């Protein structure tokens, strides 16, 4: 008998609600049988042909994505192609087939697993997410060895919610947007590309749902609540009713918000704040523009470095495209934040304590070529739009002085070569390490702007790994200690006449808006789909009350108290979606 109203929780990956029948995507994660083969060379040839067919499939996927978005975002699939070109894996597999005389899919699966376990992938969230993408190529190769048709999704005609163990960015990009209304996976995290693609396509998604496949069958009615990270399988009458009502209100609410696109983020008493968007892939610019963002407040450039360091020309092409697409508004390009949870493939970058170790500017102040190449590309792109440069993870004044020296040297070289760039390009830093927030006045004398990285500032202030679910209850960006550091940063910036923004996830939280405005931030850079909602909250507030709210929050000693206080304020003002209570 089917279990009614089974409720599972996961990570809210892309907002919205979808009530549809489930279609289960079968992976190749099940048991792969090993058996002896007599014609070994035929088995090796079967493997070679499967690798070739897989390569062709991935190129098709890449081309399809390029057709619907831009020519650059599809680069995230280069990692999969590169995996197939990994001579080591291919050679080892062939040798192992010849040595063991066993079937190709079994040997390939074993070989990959052995190689993977030798990589210290558990240490890094980013690497774990990327491993999901590698697993996709492996599954494709195995399917092709077995002569099975690969999932291309052309067959999905009716409206549905996709349920899968893992669905990679490549498969996500292929989903027919007319019929796929929601996505739920057992794998995946906040930083995975699957999540980013889901958000860019505006498909509600919940990822990281344990035991999902244990409880779901194709044809089950499921509710995907991407806003709260809830999945309900075969909902009972009352849950279904509640969710139908929530869905209706959510649609009314978001439809209402769309009308805000052309309206400025101005408070009731006439104070306007810059509201821009964070992007990780160029294809998100479209979503940022559609949701009414003014500019890109943070362009994370890590995707370009997934397969090693890109050339100056490769980077220039992407930055120029982005600068032109968002123009005349500005784009803040952050130099690459390698390390920490955004690890490069090179195993030598592994650290025992990655967040406190070899990360971001610390890497390229030693490996200066990475920095100089990126700076040259950013500077050259600045001739085509309104571009600003931002350095992550600055913790000491010497670092910013050195970075500026290298920048000036790069500018002189370009000038000497007669290459055009914006000579007045604005240079800023992310304030995301407590030392920079505490000494903000000194840093403010060195740069043109600050952008507060509340994700890292919270993790470093509260000694709480931002990616560890075990301490997720301690990770509280509204902790008064974090708020005091934000205040110090804003006040210091203003005392030196520079603007101060915030680009961490805190900016996308509706309850945080009054306190962030009250602390005096000049800019908020948020998730593209959150722009209308944040704008709507801003338009319900006055600066006078925001200052009072900030003062009160700063006087508190507990994050829980601050959260409760701020939630009560939004409730009192009836801002945000008028919600139907959930008793599940
Ligand atoms: C932050 O730390 O708040 C931030 C915006 O940067 P990232 O999340 O990329 O580390
Ligand atoms: Mg950061």
């Amino acid at each position: 008998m089917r279990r009614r109203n089974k409720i599972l929780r996961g990570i809210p990956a892309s907002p919205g609600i979808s009530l549809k029948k489930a279609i289960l995507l079968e992976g190749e994660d099940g048991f792969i049988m090993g058996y002896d083969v007599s014609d070994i060379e035929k088995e090796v040839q079967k493997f070679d042909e499967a690798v070739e067919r897989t390569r062709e499939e991935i190129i098709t996927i890449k081309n399809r994505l390029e057709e619907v978005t831009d020519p650059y975002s599809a680069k995230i699939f280069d990692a999969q192609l590169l995996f197939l070109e990994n001579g080591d894996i291919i050679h080892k597999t062939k040798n192992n087939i010849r040595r063991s005389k066993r079937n190709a899919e079994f040997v390939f699966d074993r070989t990959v697993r052995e190689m993977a376990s030798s990589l210290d992938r558990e240490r890094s969230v980013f690497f774990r997410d990327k491993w999901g993408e590698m697993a996709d190529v492996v599954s494709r190769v195995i399917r092709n060895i077995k002569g099975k048709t690969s999932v291309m999704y052309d067959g999905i005609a009716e409206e549905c919610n996709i349920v899968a163990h893992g669905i990679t960015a490549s498969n996500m990009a292929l989903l027919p947007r007319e019929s796929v209304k929601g996505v739920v996976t057992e794998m995946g995290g906040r930083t995975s590309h699957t999540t980013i693609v889901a958000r860019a396509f505006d498909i509600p998604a919940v990822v990281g749902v344990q035991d999902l496949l244990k409880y779901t069958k194709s044809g089950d009615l499921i509710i995907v609540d991407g806003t709260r990270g809830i999945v309900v399988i075969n909902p009972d009458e009352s849950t279904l009713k509640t969710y139908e009502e929530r869905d209706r209100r959510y649609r009314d609410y978001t439809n209402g918000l769309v009308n805000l696109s052309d309206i400025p983020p101005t408070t009731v008493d006439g104070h306007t704040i810059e509201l821009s968007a964070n992007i990780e892939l160029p294809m998100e610019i479209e979503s940022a523009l559609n949701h009414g963002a003014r500019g890109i407040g943070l362009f994370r450039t890590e995707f370009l470095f997934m397969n090693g360091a890109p050339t100056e020309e490769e980077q220039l092409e992407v930055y120029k495209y982005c600068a032109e697409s968002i123009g005349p508004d500005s784009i803040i390009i952050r130099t690459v934040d390698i390390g920490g949870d955004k690890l490069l493939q090179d195993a030598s970058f592994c650290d025992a304590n990655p967040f406190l170790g070899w990360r971001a500017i610390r890497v390229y102040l030693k490996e200066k070529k990475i920095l100089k190449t990126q700076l040259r590309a950013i500077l050259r792109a600045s001739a085509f739009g309104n571009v600003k440069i931002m350095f992550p993870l600055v913790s000491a004044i010497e670092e910013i002085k050195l970075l500026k020296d290298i920048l000036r040297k790069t500018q002189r070289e370009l000038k000497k070569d007669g290459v055009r760039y914006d000579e007045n390009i604005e240079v800023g830093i992310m304030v995301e390490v407590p030392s920079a927030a505490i000494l903000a006045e000194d840093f403010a004398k060195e740069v043109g702007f600050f952008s507060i990285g509340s994700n890292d500032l919270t993790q470093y202030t509260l000694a709480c790994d931002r990616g560890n679910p075990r301490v997720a209850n301690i990770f509280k960006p509204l902790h008064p200690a974090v708020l005091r550091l934000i205040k110090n940063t804003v006040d210091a910036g203003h005392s030196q006449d520079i603007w101060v923004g915030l680009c961490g996830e805190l900016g996308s939280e509706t309850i945080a808006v009054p306190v962030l405005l009250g602390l005096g931030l000049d800019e908020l850079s948020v998730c593209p789909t959150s722009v209308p909602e944040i704008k709507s909250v801003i338009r319900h507030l006055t600066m006078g009350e925001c200052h009072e709210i900030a003062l009160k929050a700063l006087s508190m000693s507990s994050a829980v108290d601050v959260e409760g206080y701020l939630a009560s304020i939004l409730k009192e003002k009836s801002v945000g979606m008028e919600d139907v209570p959930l008793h599940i």
Side-chain angles (χ1 to χ4, degrees):
M1 208 183 76
R2 286 188 174 179
R3 189 139 178 213
R4 306 292 298 180
N5 221 40
K6 178 72 193 163
I7 294 151
L8 299 173
R9 287 170 202 272
I11 301 164
S14 176
I17 291 165
S18 172
L19 301 89
K20 299 281 171 222
K21 279 198 174 153
I23 288 193
L24 232 75
L25 292 187
E26 309 282 350
E28 288 288 344
D29 299 304
F31 182 69
I32 297 168
M33 205 165 58
Y35 52 88
D36 294 338
V37 287
S38 48
D39 191 342
I40 292 159
E41 283 317 305
K42 197 169 149 208
E43 205 60 20
V44 170
Q45 191 189 342
K46 207 159 93 180
F47 173 66
D48 272 337
E49 284 168 4
V51 169
E52 192 43 42
R53 207 167 315 130
T54 306
R55 189 197 325 280
E56 285 162 14
E57 280 173 9
I58 295 169
I59 291 170
T60 310
I61 293 167
K62 216 183 139 196
N63 292 344
R64 278 205 207 173
L65 187 69
E66 279 172 1
E67 273 167 32
V68 292
T69 60
D70 58 87
Y72 310 108
S73 301
K75 280 185 193 299
I76 52 178
F77 305 124
D78 288 348
Q80 298 201 1
L81 287 174
L82 216 74
F83 177 86
L84 289 177
E85 277 156 26
N86 184 326
D88 228 19
I89 292 176
I90 307 291
H91 264 98
K92 269 201 181 123
T93 304
K94 287 194 208 174
N95 285 345
N96 289 345
I97 294 175
R98 290 193 174 104
R99 220 192 41 238
S100 68
K101 301 184 177 47
R102 307 217 88 195
N103 54 318
E105 64 272 32
F106 178 76
V107 176
F108 176 58
D109 184 60
R110 280 276 164 106
T111 310
V112 171
R113 277 174 204 275
E114 267 162 29
M115 291 182 78
S117 65
S118 68
L119 295 170
D120 193 4
R121 64 180 199 276
E122 292 305 322
R123 280 200 190 144
S124 150
V125 175
F126 188 62
F127 199 91
R128 267 208 309 271
D129 290 342
K130 269 174 48 181
W131 178 250
E133 310 219 1
M134 294 309 118
D136 181 51
V137 201
V138 173
S139 294
R140 270 182 195 282
V141 173
I142 291 175
R143 262 196 304 266
N144 282 324
I145 297 174
K146 289 175 164 177
K148 285 193 184 176
T149 328
S150 269
V151 190
M152 282 302 199
Y153 305 125
D154 289 341
I156 302 174
E158 61 175 317
E159 293 196 345
C160 65
N161 287 326
I162 292 289
V163 173
H165 172 63
I167 172 161
T168 60
S170 68
N171 285 338
M172 192 75 198
L174 279 179
L175 295 175
R177 282 154 83 177
E178 356 26 276
S179 38
V180 174
K181 299 298 170 196
V183 169
V184 203
T185 61
E186 290 187 331
M187 300 262 293
R190 279 203 61 79
T191 58
S192 66
H193 282 117
T194 313
T195 304
I196 298 164
V197 177
R199 279 202 298 262
F201 285 1
D202 259 342
I203 299 176
V206 183
V207 299
V209 183
Q210 273 184 20
D211 293 333
L212 176 66
L213 297 188
K214 190 168 144 196
Y215 292 107
T216 323
K217 290 183 212 66
S218 276
D220 282 348
L221 179 66
I222 61 163
I223 296 169
V224 179
D225 180 350
T227 311
R228 286 169 190 75
I230 295 173
V231 181
V232 189
I233 303 152
N234 292 320
D236 60 21
E237 220 32 54
S238 116
T239 308
L240 192 63
K241 267 218 173 87
T242 307
Y243 259 106
E244 278 166 351
E245 181 60 10
R246 288 176 80 97
D247 185 30
R248 198 184 56 70
R249 293 200 192 185
Y250 183 77
R251 280 171 202 278
D252 287 352
Y253 177 60
T254 47
N255 288 342
L257 291 176
V258 170
N259 301 331
L260 289 177
S261 291
D262 298 326
I263 299 173
T266 304
T267 58
V268 175
D269 50 352
H271 178 88
T272 302
I273 179 162
E274 287 292 323
L275 189 55
S276 48
N278 297 341
I279 60 163
E280 312 204 15
L281 292 175
M283 73 180 180
E284 290 178 282
I285 290 183
E286 192 189 336
S287 174
L289 289 169
N290 289 343
H291 287 94
R294 293 297 308 269
I296 302 299
L298 169 65
F299 177 21
R300 295 179 164 106
T301 55
E302 288 76 45
F303 86 98
L304 281 165
F305 291 74
M306 276 184 77
N307 308 316
T311 65
E312 181 181 324
E313 295 305 318
E314 281 167 342
Q315 292 187 61
L316 169 65
E317 235 189 288
V318 176
Y319 303 153
K320 177 173 177 274
Y321 168 85
C322 293
E324 286 176 340
S325 306
I326 199 75
D329 291 329
S330 64
I331 177 164
I332 301 180
I333 303 180
R334 181 178 74 181
T335 56
V336 61
D337 191 356
I338 3 176
D341 64 340
K342 312 174 188 83
L343 208 66
L344 278 183
Q345 278 175 328
D346 183 347
S348 66
F349 279 69
C350 278
D351 263 348
N353 229 332
F355 278 121
L356 301 179
W358 195 230
R359 178 181 170 189
I361 56 161
R362 297 171 182 185
V363 176
Y364 44 73
L365 276 176
K366 288 270 183 317
E367 309 272 341
K368 295 207 178 60
K369 196 163 175 296
I370 301 177
L371 177 62
K372 279 199 75 176
T373 307
Q374 189 168 26
L375 289 178
R376 278 182 68 96
I378 300 174
L379 284 168
R380 287 173 64 189
S382 72
F384 301 93
N386 187 351
V387 174
K388 305 182 205 300
I389 300 177
M390 180 157 73
F391 295 111
L393 208 81
V394 176
S395 64
I397 207 83
E398 293 77 15
E399 289 170 339
I400 184 61
K401 288 189 171 161
L402 244 149
L403 290 163
K404 279 170 56 189
D405 276 351
I406 297 169
L407 177 65
R408 272 193 294 265
K409 208 166 149 209
T410 314
Q411 285 171 316
R412 278 199 299 274
E413 282 168 14
L414 286 176
K415 198 163 190 171
K416 205 169 126 224
D417 296 342
V419 180
R420 278 193 319 131
Y421 65 90
D422 174 6
E423 296 194 18
N424 299 314
I425 192 163
E426 261 187 71
V427 180
I429 57 166
M430 293 201 61
V431 175
E432 53 184 351
V433 181
S435 61
I438 293 164
L439 293 184
E441 203 163 323
D442 299 283
F443 283 94
K445 292 176 185 148
E446 298 292 333
V447 290
F449 67 91
F450 284 156
S451 186
I452 296 171
S454 55
N455 307 338
D456 279 312
L457 189 59
T458 305
Q459 94 162 335
Y460 294 129
T461 306
L462 304 181
C464 174
D465 183 341
R466 58 191 266 187
N468 184 342
R470 283 196 196 144
V471 288
N473 59 332
I474 299 172
F475 187 87
K476 291 199 176 296
L478 286 169
H479 193 293
V482 180
L483 294 183
R484 287 188 200 188
L485 289 178
I486 295 177
K487 177 168 167 41
N488 196 56
T489 307
V490 175
D491 291 350
H494 289 172
S495 77
Q496 299 301 317
D497 286 330
I498 67 167
W499 65 266
V500 184
L502 181 141
C503 62
E505 304 308 313
L506 182 62
S508 303
E509 300 282 338
T510 46
I511 65 162
V513 176
V515 75
L516 295 178
L517 258 59
L519 289 171
L521 283 153
D522 305 292
E523 180 239 26
L524 291 180
S525 189
V526 306
C527 162
T529 46
S530 302
V531 170
E533 194 168 31
I534 299 300
K535 194 187 280 186
S536 153
V537 178
I538 293 170
R539 293 182 62 81
H540 278 82
L541 300 164
T542 66
M543 278 310 278
E545 65 186 336
C546 288
H547 286 311
E548 273 174 36
I549 292 166
L551 276 181
K552 181 144 184 204
L554 284 167
S555 73
M556 294 178 169
S557 54
S558 135
V560 177
D561 289 350
V562 175
E563 286 171 355
Y565 169 58
L566 294 176
S568 72
I569 286 172
L570 285 204
K571 198 160 175 214
E572 209 175 279
K573 292 189 142 294
S574 314
V575 213
M577 187 176 80
E578 194 200 332
D579 224 346
V580 185
L582 258 187
H583 301 292
I584 59 175

